[in-house]
Every structure is written in C-alpha cells, then in structure tokens.
Amino acid sequence: MSKFLSRFSGRWWPRNKARSLDDATLSSDRRHLLQALSALAGGGALAAMSQPAEAKDSSDLPPPKRALTGRDAAGKSVFKSFDVTPAVVEMDSNPGLTFYELYMTEGVPQLTGLEPDPMLKGTIGFPGPGGTMFRLISYPPKRPEGWKPPPGATFETGLKELSDKVPGMGDVFDRSAPGMHTSDTIDYGVVVRGEMTLELDDGQKVHLRQGDCVVQNGTRHRWRNPLPEPCLMAFVSIGGKRG
C-alpha cells in the first residue's frame, strides 16, 4: 500500500513547489488515485465480509432461510414460503450439531409444483434408491482441551439420539472408530462457512475451506472441524445401491 501511494506522491504533491502541473493532468491523476483507493477499500470490505463469523456454536448464528417455489392454480410460478425450514434438528448430546433439513424427494419427482412441503411431516436420515435429501449441517467448533459432553451423554446415547431425531442416522456409524460412517448414498457437499477436515480410510485427509466441494461416493469417512468456530456445510444426498 505504501509503495502504491508513493507512486502518486511525486505526481500529486511534487517536492519542488516551483514545478508547475497541468490542471488537466492533475485532475486526471487525482481521479485515478481515488478510483484505485476506492477499489482497495472495496476489496478490503469484501474481504472482511467473507471472514467466518465469530461464534461459539450454531445457536450464535442466524438460521438459514429456505425459499420454496411452486405453482398456483393458474400454473404460474410462485413462492410458497421463504422462511426457516420447519425441520431443524439439534443434538442435545453434542451441543452445536444442528441439521437443517431442507427438502427431500422419493423416486422420480412429478414437478407439478402443487406438492405439499415434504418437511412438514418430518425428515429422513438417508434417501432410498433414486431419492434425494437436501440439508445443511452446522458442526460445532473444535472442542477445547478438557471439554466434557453434557451429563449422561455417551457415544451410544449420542448415536441413539441421532437415529431418534434423524431416522437411521446413528445406524451408519462405525462403533469401532468414533465418527467414521458409511451410507448408501452419493453425497454432494460444499463448505458454506468455516473449514472442515475430511478423513477417509488409513488416515487419508483433505482440508476443505469455504467454497470447497466434495463428492462422497458411498465411502467410509469422518468429519472434523479444525477451528474454534462452527462450520456450516450443505449436502445433497442421492440414494444408491451397493454394487
């Protein structure tokens, strides 16, 4: 920045006061400098906005809204709702772990636009073959040293709560390797906010930052949040069959 300004200092404020400047040139230089400073300021503002929000868990962040479209009686496209999905699931045994269950389909969608919101009747863990599930998951921050789960919470009670609130979700987890799980789906995932580490078999890992994507082909994996702030990820899961 200082080098950038020094380029203009000799032209805008000449050391030799006796030196004359053409008014048009001076005006042009000032215009260019102001444009450049505006661009720098704008870039700094955008950079600041893109930084992850400081929060201890998902409860400190505003819940995401879902715009749901359909058709009216005349066949014209309309917004059926624009609000927080009716299916928001929080885990008491793992504070900060929150599922925003956005939409699901079974088989081949008919696309009439008159279907009721499927999330009004609850949620599913994973879709059957050909079905889809669209969800956001907010993962809690990396736990500080010495952190303890809520009283009475154990690995098994946590998995039971998962399956009770998101049917079948806890059943796909590996009891011998906490966090590792496998589902009969292809999952398209993207990091919306924060960062995440994806671990596969034999300790293979990749670090995902905001905007990074992953295609999970029904493989055994585990998610770990490496930062002291929540991570929000979006997933579209498509039900498949094991070969």
Side-chain angles (χ1 to χ4, degrees):
M1 181 68 174
S2 59
K3 290 183 179 179
F4 173 82
L5 290 175
S6 66
R7 284 184 53 200
F8 287 87
S9 63
R11 298 171 64 185
W12 214 18
W13 298 288
R15 294 191 180 100
N16 184 358
K17 294 183 179 180
R19 183 181 175 186
S20 63
L21 290 173
D22 180 79
D23 289 342
T25 301
L26 179 58
S27 176
S28 175
D29 285 345
R30 286 177 175 172
R31 237 185 352 260
H32 291 158
L33 177 60
L34 290 174
Q35 289 172 354
L37 289 174
S38 297
L40 286 173
L46 290 174
M49 291 172 63
S50 68
Q51 294 301 313
E54 292 184 5
K56 295 180 180 178
D57 58 48
S58 59
S59 64
D60 294 334
L61 300 171
K65 289 185 177 181
R66 179 198 61 165
L68 180 61
T69 69
R71 293 186 177 87
D72 61 14
K76 292 184 178 181
S77 60
V78 295
F79 287 106
K80 300 174 73 173
S81 67
F82 180 47
D83 205 344
V84 178
T85 175
V88 177
V89 182
E90 298 178 314
M91 296 298 155
D92 297 329
S93 57
N94 192 358
L97 179 60
T98 305
F99 292 77
Y100 299 94
E101 307 287 79
L102 301 174
Y103 207 79
M104 60 186 181
T105 63
E106 298 177 2
V108 180
Q110 297 302 305
L111 301 180
T112 67
L114 303 176
E115 298 84 3
D117 183 354
M119 307 321 299
L120 292 174
K121 59 183 181 181
T123 184
I124 58 174
F126 299 98
T132 68
M133 183 71 211
F134 179 30
R135 60 169 50 102
L136 293 172
I137 303 179
S138 183
Y139 295 89
K142 180 180 180 181
R143 303 301 189 187
E145 186 176 352
W147 181 87
K148 294 182 180 180
T154 66
F155 181 55
E156 287 298 328
T157 62
L159 292 184
K160 184 179 184 306
E161 184 186 11
L162 264 178
S163 283
D164 288 345
K165 293 184 175 180
V166 185
M169 180 68 76
D171 299 337
V172 302
F173 280 80
D174 188 339
R175 264 65 176 176
S176 65
M180 280 290 187
H181 58 286
T182 312
S183 58
D184 294 338
T185 57
I186 291 179
D187 305 315
Y188 303 141
V190 59
V191 179
V192 177
R193 180 173 52 224
E195 299 182 13
M196 182 61 71
T197 297
L198 171 60
E199 180 181 348
L200 303 182
D201 287 332
D202 299 326
Q204 300 177 82
K205 296 179 183 179
V206 65
H207 188 75
L208 303 169
R209 292 180 171 82
Q210 184 172 318
D212 288 342
C213 305
V214 61
V215 178
Q216 191 71 247
N217 277 305
T219 50
R220 183 171 177 266
H221 65 285
R222 168 166 50 201
W223 301 104
R224 291 189 186 279
N225 186 350
L227 300 182
E229 61 190 36
C231 176
L232 184 67
M233 292 192 68
F235 293 95
V236 175
S237 298
I238 304 171
K241 292 182 179 181
R242 290 285 165 182

